[in-house]
Amino acid sequence: MSEPAPRRLLYVLDRFPSDTLNFVYNEIRALEDEGFAIDIVSLMPAVSVPEEARDFLSRTSNLRPLSARELIGAFLHYLLRRPLTLLGLMIRVPLDNDSPRKGLKSLAHLAVGVAFAHRMRNRREPIHAHFAFKACLAALCASRLNGNPYSFTAHGSATVYPPSRYSLASKLRGAAFVVAVSDYNARVIRELCPELTADRILVNRTGIRLA
């Protein structure tokens, strides 16, 4: 009898690998030990790679640099196939911010997200992002435009510090589940998105055990 095919997951991060992401390395390795097949996409190429992450470098696909041709092609693809969904993203994502400056910046992030969705358009596995920033928006775009379920781990300032939040309510509403790194983090998420039910907020504490 042949062994069952491994369960596939797609991880997306803003820049991977990098010096400060040892918790992601450990998470991916633990999932692979449990039988998952993990593919990794980095929105930007790695700059500084620690020795412990060298094995991730060759197996990570980089989205950028993006050519104008690819970016325009991605938008045309969805304008023809999912025009209302694409238009909804282009309206909701910038409006889901507390300043025009952040709204305009979110539109630039959205362009990268649409390009990511287009690159991943033939894949249907769940997507998990780390940090509630550009990679999370890319996962949201792929979910809305392609149908992939997505989740993300909400770390630090992009969640709890208002000036660093970009379209956070949209990201929370669309997620299958959200991983909070502390009880405080989870409480902020519940306050920001009351419609996110308790079973969709998981707490996985990231830090050093003191006792």
Side-chain angles (χ1 to χ4, degrees):
M1 181 181 294
S2 61
E3 294 185 4
R7 294 165 291 177
R8 303 199 72 86
L9 292 174
L10 179 62
Y11 265 55
V12 58
L13 296 102
D14 289 358
R15 192 187 298 276
F16 185 87
S18 73
D19 288 321
T20 59
L21 295 176
N22 59 304
F23 51 90
V24 182
Y25 313 147
N26 294 337
E27 180 176 297
I28 291 174
R29 288 169 179 145
L31 285 168
E32 290 177 330
D33 288 343
E34 292 296 320
F36 285 88
I38 311 292
D39 294 320
I40 309 166
V41 176
S42 177
L43 299 185
M44 296 176 287
V47 174
S48 177
V49 182
E51 189 62 36
E52 66 175 323
R54 291 287 174 186
D55 58 315
F56 285 109
L57 193 58
S58 60
R59 53 180 290 202
T60 299
S61 301
N62 296 318
L63 182 72
R64 297 173 69 179
L66 282 166
S67 67
R69 181 177 180 177
E70 183 175 4
L71 194 58
I72 293 169
F75 274 86
L76 287 176
H77 175 88
Y78 292 112
L79 277 172
L80 292 172
R81 292 165 177 81
R82 303 296 302 276
L84 294 180
T85 303
L86 180 60
L87 183 61
L89 284 168
M90 293 176 69
I91 294 172
R92 179 176 290 274
V93 166
L95 289 178
D96 187 16
N97 288 283
D98 56 14
S99 73
R101 180 188 65 83
K102 290 168 72 174
L104 288 173
K105 194 169 183 179
S106 291
L107 271 178
H109 297 169
L110 180 68
V112 175
V114 172
F116 170 79
H118 186 250
R119 189 84 64 89
M120 301 296 122
R121 64 191 181 278
N122 295 320
R123 306 186 63 156
R124 292 294 177 265
E125 62 263 50
I127 299 172
H128 188 75
H130 269 272
F131 300 95
F133 198 41
K134 288 179 283 189
C136 186
L137 183 57
L140 168 61
C141 289
S143 177
R144 295 294 302 278
L145 295 168
N146 299 338
N148 306 68
Y150 81 95
S151 54
F152 69 97
T153 300
H155 301 268
S157 60
T159 306
V160 301
Y161 183 53
S164 296
R165 294 175 188 157
Y166 285 83
S167 310
L168 183 56
S170 292
K171 296 168 184 174
L172 291 169
R173 281 192 298 266
F177 64 89
V178 179
V179 180
V181 298
S182 68
D183 292 330
Y184 173 69
N185 188 264
R187 187 164 65 251
V188 170
I189 288 169
R190 283 193 292 270
E191 291 170 356
L192 290 171
C193 189
E195 61 265 47
L196 199 65
T197 55
D199 61 310
R200 290 167 61 198
I201 304 174
L202 312 177
V203 177
N204 183 25
R205 295 172 182 81
T206 300
I208 299 172
R209 188 181 296 276
L210 298 178

